Amino acid sequence: MHSSTQYVYQFSEGDASMRDLLGGKGAGVAEMTKLGMPVPEGFTITTEACRSYMKNPDGIDAQIRQPVLDALAQLEQRTGKTLGDPENPLLVSVRSGAQVSMPGMMDTILNLGLNREVVEALGEKSGNERWAWDSYRRFIQMYGNVVMGINENIFEHRIDERKAERGVESDVDLDADDMQWLADRFLEDYRQAKGENFPTEPTTQLFEAIKAVFRSWNNPRAVYFRQMNNIPDDWGTAVTVQRMVFGNLSEDSGTGVAFSRNPVNGEKGLFGEYLMNAQGEDVVSGVRTPEPIETLKTRNPALYETFDQIVHKLELHYRDMQDMEFTIEDGHLFMLQTRNGKRTPQAAFQIASDLVDEGVLTQEDAVCSIDPTYITAMLHPRFTDEALKTGTMLGTGLAASPGAAAGRAVFSSDDAEAWSTRGERVILIRRDTTPEDIVGMHHAEGIMTARGGMTSHAAVVARGIGKCCVSGVSALQFGDDGSCTIGDHQLNEGDWISLDGGSGSVYEGKLETEPASMTGAFGRVMSWADRFRRMEVRANADTPEDACRSRELGAEGIGLCRTEHMFFRPERIDAIRRMIVARDEDERQAALDVLLPMQREDFKSMYEAMEGEPMTVRLIDPPLHEFLPKTPEAVASLAETTGQSVEDINRATAELTEVNPMLGHRGCRLAVTYPSIARMQTRAVLEAAVEVKREHPDWTVAPEIMIPLVSETAEFEYVKSIVETTAKEVISSSGISLYCSVGTMIETPRAALTAGDIAARAEFFSFGTNDLTQMTFGLSRDDAGSFLQDYYDKGLLKEDPFSHLDRKGVGRLIKMAVDSGRRVHPNLRVGICGEHGGDPESIEFCEDVGLDYVSCSTYRVPVARLAAAQATLGRHAPERR
Amino acid sequence: MHSSTQYVYQFSEGDASMRDLLGGKGAGVAEMTKLGMPVPEGFTITTEACRSYMKNPDGIDAQIRQPVLDALAQLEQRTGKTLGDPENPLLVSVRSGAQVSMPGMMDTILNLGLNREVVEALGEKSGNERWAWDSYRRFIQMYGNVVMGINENIFEHRIDERKAERGVESDVDLDADDMQWLADRFLEDYRQAKGENFPTEPTTQLFEAIKAVFRSWNNPRAVYFRQMNNIPDDWGTAVTVQRMVFGNLSEDSGTGVAFSRNPVNGEKGLFGEYLMNAQGEDVVSGVRTPEPIETLKTRNPALYETFDQIVHKLELHYRDMQDMEFTIEDGHLFMLQTRNGKRTPQAAFQIASDLVDEGVLTQEDAVCSIDPTYITAMLHPRFTDEALKTGTMLGTGLAASPGAAAGRAVFSSDDAEAWSTRGERVILIRRDTTPEDIVGMHHAEGIMTARGGMTSHAAVVARGIGKCCVSGVSALQFGDDGSCTIGDHQLNEGDWISLDGGSGSVYEGKLETEPASMTGAFGRVMSWADRFRRMEVRANADTPEDACRSRELGAEGIGLCRTEHMFFRPERIDAIRRMIVARDEDERQAALDVLLPMQREDFKSMYEAMEGEPMTVRLIDPPLHEFLPKTPEAVASLAETTGQSVEDINRATAELTEVNPMLGHRGCRLAVTYPSIARMQTRAVLEAAVEVKREHPDWTVAPEIMIPLVSETAEFEYVKSIVETTAKEVISSSGISLYCSVGTMIETPRAALTAGDIAARAEFFSFGTNDLTQMTFGLSRDDAGSFLQDYYDKGLLKEDPFSHLDRKGVGRLIKMAVDSGRRVHPNLRVGICGEHGGDPESIEFCEDVGLDYVSCSTYRVPVARLAAAQATLGRHAPERR
């Protein structure tokens, strides 16, 4: 017994801050009540009562009976109506309401308090018998289904039966007699199903309804929703008991929903629709077409004026755009609910910007009012609404990289390049992609794959280069004849196809797109964000185009330039392959000598694109076998250019094959075995830097070279000395004054564990959290797709550790590394360049552990800018309730 | 200037404890001098002087000139001889001597102090002109080569020239004139080579010689030796200057080496050999055959008696068997060196045991006197000495698993089984082995592979099951006709071949073996070790045979039973495959139902073999694709038994293929996806335990089930609940009282980082340090072979982290996990079951962090017992100097 616990609160006792206890709905109506708004009276039974009920279902009556009866008595006094009193009956709704919105997931009972006696009196008094009997049959139906678990179809069949008898199509066409008939049948059905009479005692109805709503917290769809949204199972729901008001009581009644501003474009002014003589479900069902809210102004100017004032007051009060439900009962306005309204990304920026101008929000508030993940959708073209309405969908996959694109189908990287060179727009369609497809991906407007998840090669690269991508299209099948099918649809090379990377949909033919519209409000809010954030934001970019785009999107430099991506261009891959299969150091050096000027040009273009912004270049990282030819023709060609036999090439390939390439001969291990590669790359970077500095003496050109996959201080020192020696050679022979800094990726657990030692020698750390996550979990990103779903299904993993940084394991290593690194080297520059660098949740962690910068894929840069500002300000974007 | 530093010590000023400063040799002669033994007088220049010289070669003269001259003056006074005085010349040796023995790696100069005047006087006075000139020409030769860097061949050619002129074969046949002739030529050659005269001033000779010995610290063979033996490059060498005594001065002179006990079998009593009228190098060169030390007893009983007393005194003093060098000069005995003698493993146990009986050592001393790694060699058969002398070696590979075996060549696992079933002994010869070869490996006497290192599959499995293995035999080539060649030697199926897994040698034909001889001393010392150690020692064993053998070798239980090894037997692999390719849960369950009784019998045999000792059973760990058929025949057979098409089977195989299987769908992830496998295995263990307990009520049968590859508490809890529910079912329906404990492997970094959470639910931890090392370093053991050698060559890695636990990274994770685990669960049982569990260095770490037990491969059990005792006692086995 918790005699001291208050389980029931009148609306007048609560407020918006009591969300945990009263649920979103209960707190909302309490707050509106406090503000003096016209809210139907009521009280709320707390989430704590629900938790107590879940622990001990038999004890609840003793705990809440008296408080509920007391609250009911107060409610009766306040409304002047009495539950079950035919003369002046109080009818109530019994609604669920959790701390966070779980729309439609739990149950509600309306019109509670009705029995035959009350219904008859009500019909008589109101002069609306149909309404009275309709309300009664609805109540029986809901109570039977929700409280007693009677199959809904039983009642629905009755309605169909009656409509058939009466030869009508719609419920609206049933009259008062029909409703009474239905109520009688429902009562009979109830007795049949439960072996007892429908309860006529309103307090019995009330207590059973409250418990049923408690129970609905654990109905399967609610459980599933919580799992999907990381909501703890032990929160429980509050129950709000509220006087019923009826929008369908008369022609002077009505109901509607409204936003305080336009949720699509953010424009100021009421936006919404309503129906007279209707209930909420009528607005939704579409049987009658609702009217725009503006018409209410002429229909009832005084009421509209009142409503407009309430809306204004609510917006000022909540300091955000509101989404409201209201009901008009016999000309009286009642507010049923208000919450911060959902909106499009465009609207979010517009509203935030306007609210600052209106003095409602500070710039900090505005920056913190927007969910950073919204931004991505704004940066890409999208299909026009018209196109989406008329397009034929062929199938769906994962929304792997946003944007919309139409192009002609090609099935290989080479074809993508060939068609694109002819000036055609293409969509690259592959079973899955490998690094060899990168050239084709660059040439394509979009990429579609049959296999692979959100973190597959195709998805990661597409996001990185800002191409739209739909991955894992299971209906996609490849034929032997160079064509493919999606479901029944045959797709040949050259056929038009359209991808929506934001929704994962695939359309037949060529759909119209419209470009990204970045309104002035976007730029304005982002400039505030830039002022507030502590961390620097850089981009992961490997081409001059990416570099330019990332600067347009606000990157303050490149945090990760993956040099290997430059190797996949056709004119280079050949030299790289010759380097790999070289039989001695001379042959290797000869191939590297061919590559040197190419890499130098790469870096020069990058430096030019950056116009003096910094760039961190990572030495080659992937295992060399990734570069080797896979087709017999390519093998033969390599054999010819190198003067080796096909067998030699195949043997070299076989020797390089690895059991676990992720943990193999890659990263700085390549530089240890082949120092000449590291020398060539360093030389290319430094020579490029020297040339650019010579041509642009006013630019800051300070090369930063990053050594990947370090797990031991000695190997870092070894490769660092190669880099430094080479850099010194280039610099001293150039006569140009440059400083080249050398740092490392922290991406093996051991690097994190020994970061203190490494920091004594390194000038910067960059956390490679993709690999660090793989190694810390012992989980290959390429292989996890096959079983991680089982983990989500069984609730063993809440979220994808490759999308959101795992604070408990990976995060602990990062914190250890930052702390021990800074202890040894207080000015150590520390950043992150894994996929997590563009994830708001992970960016918050980066702020918490004191990183200096985050680096993320180009199109994530604005996301990171906003998220970093929110992290510095210590405020999340509010959830839209 | 370090005016306060003492750079030079008389022998009488030093002792054995000053090894760091005086080097092994300097400290040894100082200690003998202190003990009053007949040691030629001298002094030692410290390692500190060497370090100073290496830092500043030009400054050394100023630092050591005066101290050396002072020491020389003292030496002259003590000997009554004077350097360079023809009347009574002092001759000295100038020898290197590091802190640890680096035999033959650095330089020595003998007979220093000679010039023409001294030689002539010496020849006259001694009446032995040949000796005098021989000594002189040797000095010129050594000085010219070591100090001045003159090519040794110049001098050797002169000797050949003279022998040819004189028509003799051996140096011994050259007379005094020849020696004088040679000395003259050498002086001329010296002048030619260096453009200056050979220095006649003895102090000049002395200082130049000292510096040359300092320099020899950095000659290439010394550098290489240090690299191989993990000796720091900055220690430097001491230099000992000692009066020369001559074993070749007269017929009453001689020289020899002796051990205080037999180094082969450990028997007490002098053991050694000597030559009269000879120098040390004559004993080594083999021109004359040395005599056994016993004959000295009759030749010079008094001197023998003196020597015997000295030896006894040295043994008592050093409390260990001694290896000594001595010289007799004109009937006077001089001790030149003593050190703890190297010995065979058998001798080591015998000596330790005897020294306890003699009251020289305590039992603790005896236990700590033996290098645990010695033991392995004792536990396996070996080839007889006779066989090794007469055998023809075909090639060599890596000494991957010890023991010696002869058998008939087979080239497949199936053939191994077929021949062995016919009663033949076989050697399995493979390019490399896969899990499918395990049956064949069990049937073979030994395994030879063409590829793979010390940690290849073949090596690891062979060590685990105690089979001899030679891996990476590069001369081994496979033909298409089912035969192979080793170099030129053709080897057909059925041909006899012999492997020495201790040396890595491969012999033609059938060599005789002799069984392991475990003397009483072995058992005696091991029983002391068992008394002293704190940690329990268990074995990793997967078969009843291994279980029995491990108990014979002293294991106190099984710490790791890898259930998957049981699946590779032919009658089971089929059911396992059916389980894997099952199209639905029913088919899967049907296959599991077939496996259940087989696994139950496995575990029952194991429990019976253990006779009440504990056993930890690990649930299936490897990715399922390891079990699938690889050959078209096997695929066809599986298709037939399952009623699926060959394409279906191939598709299922392709779907299971992983990019990084190490980080893939394995360990507890299998149990999450297929709970029915975990249920079957748990049921098999528990049903076996129940049956065994019923049959042997007096035995302790307490099943321990271990969940592999956990990285998240929730997955551990999930699988644990499957295990517990199943166990409860079996136990409660049996009526037998049993307790089943459930624990986990800690083998992902994340498990170590979140060990506190896991410990709240787990009953034990077992560190799987193989995987933990792979993931912490980001280093695949299967792939590391191709590049780790570069790391050793470049000094970037000192030792193989898979052989010796990496304390800095992996060890830190282990310590964190133990500490946080124990904080939450003070009685948590914690052990290790990776390969490191059998490595003494790693066992010391396990003791340091407070593990409760180590578990290692069967044949490592005695190693672990001894190493654990030494770890508890806090003493290493002494290095043999």
Side-chain angles (χ1 to χ4, degrees), chain A residues 659-663 669 672-673 715 718 750 753 757 776-778 780 783 790-791 794 806 808 812, chain B residues 659-663 669 672-673 715 718 749-750 753 757 776-778 780 783 790-791 794 806 808 812:
Chain A
V659 181
N660 297 292
M662 162 64 41
L663 311 176
R669 295 164 192 170
V672 168
T673 304
E715 68 185 344
Y718 177 80
R750 195 169 188 275
L753 292 162
D757 287 353
T776 302
F777 275 83
S780 163
D783 303 309
D790 296 325
Y791 276 74
K794 293 179 178 177
D806 158 54
K808 230 165 121 184
R812 189 165 173 206
Chain B
V659 181
N660 296 291
M662 161 65 40
L663 310 176
R669 296 165 191 169
V672 168
T673 305
E715 68 185 344
Y718 177 80
R750 196 168 187 278
L753 291 162
D757 287 354
T776 303
F777 275 84
S780 163
D783 303 309
D790 296 325
Y791 276 73
K794 294 181 178 177
D806 157 52
K808 230 165 121 183
R812 188 165 174 206

Side-chain angles (χ1 to χ4, degrees), chain A residues 92 105 258 325 398 408 547 657 659 701 712 751 776 824:
Chain A
V92 297
M105 295 300 132
E325 293 171 22
L398 298 171
R408 310 183 73 163
T657 302
V659 181
V701 183
E712 160 59 41
T776 302
V824 171

